[in-house]
Amino acid sequence: MFRAPQLRKVKLILILSLAIVFTLYSYIDVIVQYGKSGLGYPVVTTTTIPPLTDKSKWTSILECPLTEIDPWEPDDSRYFGSPSEPSKCHPKEPVTSKLENGKLWIDPKGYNVNCSYKCLHSKRGNVSKPDTRISFILPGPAQVFCDWVDVSCKIKGWFWNSHYRQVHSQIYVPPESSRPNVTKKRYNVYILGLDSISNGQFHRTMPKTAFYILNKLRGISFQYLSKVGYNSAPNQLAALFGQRFTSVPHPPRGYPILNVTNREFCKKFHTKDEPFLHFIFNDQGYRTVHIEDLKSVITAYPNCKGFRGKFSNHSAVPLFEELEDDDFSKGVLEDSCKEKFQICADFLRNYMKTETPEPKFAYSMLTGPGHEDLEDPYNYDEYFYRWLQSVKENLDDAFLLIWSDHGHHFGKFTNTFRGQTDTRNAMLTVVLPKDLRENSSHPIVQNLRQNSQTLVSQYDMFPTLVDLATADFGSPSSFTKHLTLQDFQKLNKRIHEVHGDSLLRPLTHRTPTCAGLGIPFTFCLCQWPIFTPDDAYELKTRVVYDIPPLLNGFLKSRGAEKKCMHIEIDVDRGIDVAEVSARLVTPSTRMIRTRFNIKGHDYDNSHDTELFFEIATDGSLSLAGRVFRFDTQWTDGKCLTDEYEQYFCICV
């Protein structure tokens, strides 16, 4: 038997032992996950590609080694949470209302109510124009001549008063609308956009939705769709305008220097002459809708003027202007147990189900399901599974593109090799109209299936959608050859540039590499092995002393040295270097990937940064691709307007 003092000592020893074991386990876990730099800072050195030091087996930097991307890689499971418990929210509806066939109904449920409603209209760009309120005369109904209607009821009780607010949507088609003179066979075209959900994340976190699309709707999933810019703007705008919104003045040797092709985009209002996708569909006799679950639509992002007037026949903009009213927001979202994206998805479903005299085009991009946390899509898998079931019959005469602009940007998974690959690998699955689904020998079906297994980019989205708007679907043989820029210009006079190809057609004429397709090297899905070179210590020294002059020199060349702090490397946070196993254009040159933390001369925080550089035979260094800062820390460079330059800058 232990005496009391001895027992306390035994307990203390056990507690200390457990603490030491736990600390060692945690440390080992960090080493396993990240590797360890020479200066003690855990950085990403692991990769699913085995190191390759035999130079005779290296692949050219101008080729494209693609590896199969497994969404269920066991090592990834530590970064993904699990579905949360279903919401126990119960709608607070002392009064109910509904909008059916253009008629608004309100059920007071026996209460003494005073109700009114008003229409919400689009005025221009991301600005709406609400009507004045109209009293609702019970028992109703009231005829509504708009897409969005805001309902408000004041409820008088014996001991209390309350307020009911709700919004309803429909697709209002004026009775004078006439059927356009369309001579070619036309399909409806719908885009269901899910912001920040990669191809792998979609299959990993939304398995029921993916199963329904691939098995019930026979969707064709593209495995290697590469983003072409860091965030939403350069990727979505590439699809909407067909222009390049990313510049890369420091490409690896052999890669093209890329420039933004429309530098006036944010400086002036967009005009009706723009090569904007909605206008191109309008030109072909389509009705259009633009749906985003944010107030600031992508055409006016981040601080652009946007369109001076309306840019689509229907829009979700009126909803988000009104949601700035706290009372309206509480009633529509909190009291109704709804999220913004669900109201937008309902609007898209209404659009798909509405009979119109013309074919329909829909562009939607929903941030709610997956933009914030990596595991969020788990919670909406059932919702989209049921949503797709509800519109299945409306897809018989339509192309449905389930699409994302890029993968997830936040958290520890992004800091891993696989996470970096994942964020570059956007999602695209194409569901065909029923007659094409059932005709596997049709050239469109064969082309899509073949193209789904090769490298494609967001630059291919615009020509694909233009093709859907203008093609002669009554002539299958016309899909056996690709379209040139001259072909697109004949189809629509708005088009002045095309940086990709229609995925409905053969891609055999082009080289499926990042260099060949104009995909910036930093966002390239092609994967070359890396290894730790023998001169790693010397390379780290070069990074400390030679990289800051390159970064600061670039800012000075752009006249930004007074807006941005002088950049230094935070040596206390560690440095990692790895050599890329790739044959370069200049054989004696080496490519190095390095990761470190940068800090400004007058700045307490440091930014986790990665870049590639090349070392020439004379020892000189040159950047090879853009600077990348993790966890969206590039926002500290917002004093500069050019997106590429922002990554170099920490604003004073």
Side-chain angles (χ1 to χ4, degrees):
M1 297 290 291
F2 289 109
R3 295 179 181 177
Q6 293 175 319
L7 186 60
R8 284 195 294 270
K9 287 183 180 179
V10 170
K11 288 182 178 179
L12 181 60
I13 291 171
L14 286 172
I15 292 171
L16 289 173
S17 299
L18 288 171
I20 292 170
V21 170
F22 178 77
T23 302
L24 286 172
Y25 176 81
S26 300
Y27 178 76
I28 291 170
D29 186 54
V30 167
I31 299 302
V32 170
Q33 289 185 47
Y34 300 109
K36 190 173 185 295
S37 76
L39 296 178
Y41 176 57
V43 290
V44 178
T45 57
T46 56
T47 168
T48 54
I49 305 176
L52 184 61
T53 56
D54 184 353
K55 292 188 176 182
S56 65
K57 298 180 180 179
W58 287 10
T59 305
S60 169
I61 198 72
L62 301 182
E63 297 178 25
C64 184
L66 286 172
T67 59
E68 184 177 356
I69 300 173
D70 182 1
W72 295 277
E73 174 68 35
D75 287 346
D76 295 348
S77 60
R78 74 184 73 186
Y79 304 106
F80 287 82
S82 57
S84 59
E85 291 294 323
S87 172
K88 296 181 180 179
C89 178
H90 300 288
K92 300 174 183 177
E93 294 183 330
V95 174
T96 58
S97 57
K98 63 181 180 180
L99 181 63
E100 289 183 347
N101 300 318
K103 296 179 180 179
L104 176 65
W105 301 84
I106 299 177
D107 181 1
K109 293 186 175 180
Y111 289 109
N112 181 11
V113 300
N114 181 12
C115 297
S116 63
Y117 65 95
K118 66 177 179 180
C119 277
L120 309 175
H121 303 281
S122 291
K123 182 179 180 181
R124 64 171 176 82
N126 59 346
V127 178
S128 66
K129 181 182 179 182
D131 284 347
T132 55
R133 286 203 168 273
I134 301 174
S135 294
F136 184 88
I137 301 174
L138 292 169
Q143 197 75 33
V144 175
F145 304 102
C146 58
D147 289 346
W148 296 93
V149 59
D150 169 11
V151 179
S152 174
C153 292
K154 295 179 180 179
I155 306 167
K156 298 179 181 179
W158 286 101
F159 303 104
W160 52 267
N161 295 329
S162 64
H163 197 188
Y164 168 80
R165 290 291 292 273
Q166 192 53 268
V167 68
H168 299 288
S169 68
Q170 64 177 0
I171 302 302
Y172 174 66
V173 180
E176 64 272 14
S177 298
S178 58
R179 183 173 295 277
N181 183 21
V182 177
T183 57
K184 297 179 181 178
K185 180 178 177 61
R186 286 283 177 262
Y187 292 106
N188 296 321
V189 180
Y190 305 130
I191 298 175
L192 174 60
L194 300 174
D195 195 312
S196 301
I197 298 180
S198 70
N199 182 55
Q201 188 186 9
F202 175 68
H203 289 276
R204 183 189 302 114
T205 60
M206 303 181 75
K208 289 184 69 173
T209 304
F211 173 84
Y212 191 82
I213 292 170
L214 296 178
N215 292 276
K216 300 299 183 181
L217 299 177
R218 303 182 204 174
I220 299 173
S221 177
F222 280 71
Q223 299 303 303
Y224 303 107
L225 172 63
S226 177
K227 69 178 186 179
V228 295
Y230 174 70
N231 58 3
S232 296
N235 292 291
Q236 290 187 42
L237 294 176
L240 286 169
F241 287 86
Q243 298 169 336
R244 186 184 294 121
F245 292 87
T246 297
S247 61
V248 183
H250 301 111
R253 289 178 176 86
Y255 275 64
I257 293 176
L258 303 176
N259 295 303
V260 174
T261 57
N262 185 355
R263 291 196 171 275
E264 301 299 312
F265 184 81
C266 278
K267 299 177 182 178
K268 299 178 180 179
F269 282 107
H270 311 323
T271 71
K272 287 286 187 178
D273 297 325
E274 298 272 1
F276 183 54
L277 205 55
H278 300 50
F279 296 161
I280 292 172
F281 273 91
N282 283 147
D283 292 342
Q284 301 301 315
Y286 276 77
R287 180 175 293 271
T288 61
V289 66
H290 189 96
I291 303 172
E292 295 185 55
D293 57 352
L294 296 172
K295 180 188 175 184
S296 180
V297 294
I298 196 67
T299 53
Y301 175 90
N303 296 305
C304 305
K305 292 182 179 296
F307 284 98
R308 190 184 296 275
K310 291 177 62 176
F311 58 86
S312 63
N313 300 109
H314 308 273
S315 168
V317 167
L319 168 68
F320 288 91
E321 281 273 291
E322 201 70 10
L323 281 173
E324 294 189 347
D325 178 340
D326 292 339
D327 184 56
F328 178 81
S329 179
K330 181 178 182 298
V332 169
L333 300 176
E334 182 181 337
D335 291 349
S336 301
C337 300
K338 288 185 177 180
E339 297 187 45
K340 296 175 184 178
F341 85 85
Q342 292 171 326
I343 299 174
C344 290
D346 288 344
F347 187 46
L348 176 59
R349 175 166 46 200
N350 291 341
Y351 184 75
M352 295 168 70
K353 289 183 173 294
T354 300
E355 293 289 337
T356 61
E358 62 273 277
K360 294 174 289 186
F361 169 70
Y363 178 90
S364 70
M365 183 57 69
L366 308 178
T367 62
H371 193 274
E372 295 303 317
D373 294 314
L374 203 57
E375 63 271 12
D376 277 354
Y378 280 125
N379 303 317
Y380 305 112
D381 188 22
E382 181 71 21
Y383 174 85
F384 282 103
Y385 174 71
R386 300 297 178 190
W387 188 91
L388 285 166
Q389 287 181 322
S390 71
V391 298
K392 183 176 184 295
E393 293 183 358
N394 306 105
L395 299 176
D396 287 350
D397 62 347
F399 282 88
L400 172 65
L401 284 71
I402 301 94
W403 174 62
S404 71
D405 44 6
H406 54 80
H408 203 71
H409 285 154
F410 312 108
K412 293 181 179 179
F413 183 56
T414 306
N415 294 350
T416 68
F417 180 87
R418 283 182 55 80
Q420 280 297 293
T421 303
D422 193 71
T423 192
R424 300 170 190 167
N425 187 198
M427 168 185 59
L428 174 63
T429 300
V430 179
V431 175
L432 298 158
K434 188 175 182 179
D435 60 336
L436 294 180
R437 272 181 254 162
E438 297 175 348
N439 184 1
S440 60
S441 63
H442 195 287
I444 290 179
V445 181
Q446 293 183 338
N447 291 335
L448 284 171
R449 292 200 180 282
Q450 182 172 353
N451 297 339
S452 69
Q453 301 303 312
T454 190
L455 181 68
V456 297
S457 86
Q458 298 290 21
Y459 290 131
D460 295 315
M461 290 297 295
F462 179 79
T464 299
L465 290 162
V466 171
D467 203 5
L468 287 171
T470 59
D472 182 3
F473 290 98
S475 175
S477 61
S478 65
F479 290 93
T480 58
K481 63 177 183 178
H482 75 277
L483 298 176
T484 65
L485 173 60
Q486 291 72 27
D487 293 327
F488 281 111
Q489 290 174 324
K490 290 177 182 177
L491 292 169
N492 193 284
K493 62 182 180 180
R494 300 176 183 276
I495 299 173
H496 303 292
E497 58 186 280
V498 173
H499 300 283
D501 292 281
S502 171
L503 300 176
L504 307 180
R505 299 171 183 272
L507 300 180
T508 52
H509 65 287
R510 70 184 197 178
T511 304
T513 66
C514 290
L517 301 183
I519 302 170
F521 178 74
T522 308
F523 305 132
C524 186
L525 275 177
C526 312
Q527 298 179 0
W528 293 268
I530 59 174
F531 65 95
T532 302
D534 294 335
D535 59 346
Y537 183 82
E538 290 80 2
L539 289 172
K540 291 178 183 180
T541 303
R542 295 292 307 273
V543 168
V544 172
Y545 291 104
D546 295 342
I547 292 298
L550 290 178
L551 304 182
N552 293 314
F554 174 70
L555 290 172
K556 185 176 181 179
S557 71
R558 296 299 178 100
E561 70 272 21
K562 293 183 179 180
K563 294 182 179 180
C564 305
M565 297 183 190
H566 186 79
I567 297 297
E568 301 170 353
I569 289 181
D570 187 352
V571 294
D572 294 331
R573 298 295 302 277
I575 300 166
D576 178 64
V577 294
E579 185 162 355
V580 181
S581 302
R583 296 197 315 272
L584 304 184
V585 173
T586 305
S588 56
T589 303
R590 302 166 64 191
M591 178 176 283
I592 306 298
R593 188 204 72 180
T594 180
R595 186 165 172 185
F596 48 82
N597 276 256
I598 60 171
K599 62 181 182 179
H601 67 280
D602 189 24
Y603 189 68
D604 293 333
N605 297 326
S606 59
H607 290 180
D608 191 2
T609 304
E610 180 181 273
L611 59 80
F612 291 80
F613 64 89
E614 291 177 311
I615 305 178
T617 51
D618 62 1
S620 60
L621 270 60
S622 60
L623 296 178
R626 59 190 292 145
V627 173
F628 180 78
R629 277 149 67 174
F630 290 84
D631 289 328
T632 65
Q633 294 166 335
W634 59 274
T635 54
D636 280 352
K638 281 287 190 176
C639 56
L640 303 183
T641 56
D642 184 272
E643 184 241 6
Y644 184 86
E645 296 171 5
Q646 289 172 351
Y647 287 83
F648 288 77
C649 178
I650 300 175
C651 298
V652 296

